[in-house]
Amino acid sequence: MMNLDWNGIRYFATLVEKETLTAAAAALDVQHSTVSRQIAQLEQALGLRLFDRIGKRYLLTADGERLYRHACDLCKEMNVLQRVAREQAAVRHSVTVSAPPFVVRLLLMPHLTDFYRKHADIRLHLLAEAALADLHGRQADIALRLVRPTQNDLAVRRLRGFAFRLCAHRDYLTRRRADWQFVQLAVEARHSRWFMEQIGEDADIVFASNDFAAVKQAIAGQIGIGILPDFAVSPADGLQTVALRADEPPPACAAALYLVMHEDVRRSPAVRAVADFFGEALAGA
């Protein structure tokens, strides 16, 4: 009695509804001999005869009648269990990554197609935000940060080093130094403070934005000199680094990109897959 097979109960309920082995087998997508075997094993386990065989039809006995309602209840509960399991699996396969907008656009998005070739079962949610996601509050599973966190319960991996540099369009630099104007990245960050220290309090700031894409467009449009990460500049942009003082090389603000996870979520296979993929894809000097 204690070794009941769930399949036997499911086959029992289906045979009651369909009345013949052939119809039940078609509904269950199995051979009719499989249905017959499951019913025989269930009757043996219960010590009861559940059906009277009349020709090809299977009609419930009195014992079968009493057990059918309970079998239906079990089937409903198993359907709920399977649905909940599917939903939980879907949630497990959804991974949220938080990163600064320019990191999302310039570093993550170019690898997205390759990511889905390898991990089509993962739903990736990219949060492009300047604010740091609260990993303890589960606002994100993975965060890409420009500042190394100090909390002991966070797993941290340094992905790559890079530098922020003063940049201008090459045609803009043909102007007299006295006519140079500046484009400010208006965010509260170490590289933004470094930029302000480089240009000085008296610098003529004509445009400001908290978005690197807008800053880069303003620089490329010859609005002024601004700050960009070196991986955001390509030869086709027509931009070059700038030395504000003739006797010094172009300055640079060293930075690094870190991949951060809470210890509790790093055990998730989906989170680990995302972390490993982007960890490898973004790794550099």
Side-chain angles (χ1 to χ4, degrees):
M1 289 289 290
M2 293 299 101
N3 295 322
L4 292 178
D5 183 351
W6 153 243
N7 279 327
I9 297 172
R10 183 163 61 97
Y11 284 34
F12 166 60
T14 304
L15 184 55
V16 172
E17 296 168 3
K18 301 301 182 181
E19 295 191 351
T20 69
L21 289 178
T22 301
L28 293 164
D29 195 24
V30 297
Q31 297 295 322
H32 74 272
S33 58
T34 302
V35 180
S36 178
R37 183 173 62 254
Q38 287 286 345
I39 297 301
Q41 290 173 351
L42 179 62
E43 289 182 323
Q44 183 179 3
L46 293 172
L48 298 171
R49 186 165 58 86
L50 302 176
F51 292 98
D52 285 323
R53 285 75 167 177
I54 302 177
K56 293 183 178 181
R57 298 177 64 199
Y58 278 64
L59 303 180
L60 285 173
T61 63
D63 288 332
E65 287 278 4
R66 284 189 290 270
L67 292 178
Y68 175 60
R69 179 173 57 83
H70 299 292
C72 289
D73 290 340
L74 284 173
C75 288
K76 290 178 183 177
E77 291 299 322
M78 287 301 297
N79 288 335
V80 171
L81 178 63
Q82 291 170 341
R83 177 178 56 79
V84 171
R86 286 193 299 270
E87 292 173 353
Q88 288 179 338
V91 171
R92 283 199 304 273
H93 292 155
S94 178
V95 178
T96 300
V97 179
S98 172
F102 77 99
V103 172
V104 171
R105 285 195 296 268
L106 299 176
L107 295 182
L108 295 184
M109 292 304 295
H111 297 286
L112 203 60
T113 299
D114 190 35
F115 173 82
Y116 278 109
R117 287 195 188 104
K118 299 178 180 178
H119 301 290
D121 60 328
I122 295 178
R123 176 180 178 269
L124 197 61
H125 183 197
L126 296 182
L127 296 178
E129 52 189 7
L132 297 181
D134 182 4
L135 296 180
H136 293 87
R138 301 298 189 269
Q139 291 180 346
D141 300 303
I142 298 170
L144 298 179
R145 294 181 175 176
L146 304 181
V147 178
R148 186 184 184 95
T150 57
Q151 298 96 324
N152 292 331
D153 58 349
L154 295 179
V156 182
R157 176 181 175 184
R158 184 184 185 275
L159 297 182
R160 62 187 293 166
F162 63 97
F164 292 94
R165 305 179 192 276
L166 297 173
C167 298
H169 193 278
R170 56 175 172 262
D171 294 338
Y172 185 84
L173 295 178
T174 61
R175 303 184 186 186
R176 296 184 310 152
R177 286 177 178 262
D179 296 332
W180 282 357
Q181 296 175 316
F182 296 91
V183 173
Q184 180 187 13
L185 178 65
V187 297
E188 183 54 39
R190 184 175 67 89
H191 48 274
S192 298
R193 294 190 293 272
W194 173 84
F195 173 71
M196 297 305 295
E197 292 169 359
Q198 293 298 313
I199 65 176
E201 295 180 356
D202 298 330
D204 185 9
I205 299 174
V206 295
F207 176 79
S209 175
N210 64 348
D211 181 20
F212 265 108
V215 168
K216 180 178 180 179
Q217 190 169 349
I219 296 171
Q222 302 188 44
I223 303 300
I225 298 169
I227 184 177
L228 291 172
D230 49 17
F231 58 78
V233 179
S234 67
D237 295 327
L239 306 181
Q240 63 186 66
T241 56
V242 178
L244 295 179
R245 298 163 188 83
D247 57 342
E248 296 180 3
C253 178
L257 182 65
Y258 299 93
L259 187 149
V260 187
M261 295 183 291
H262 195 280
E263 288 285 357
D264 290 347
V265 303
R266 69 185 302 196
R267 299 179 183 88
S268 162
V271 173
R272 275 252 53 101
V274 174
D276 290 345
F277 176 86
F278 284 112
E280 181 178 346
L282 303 184

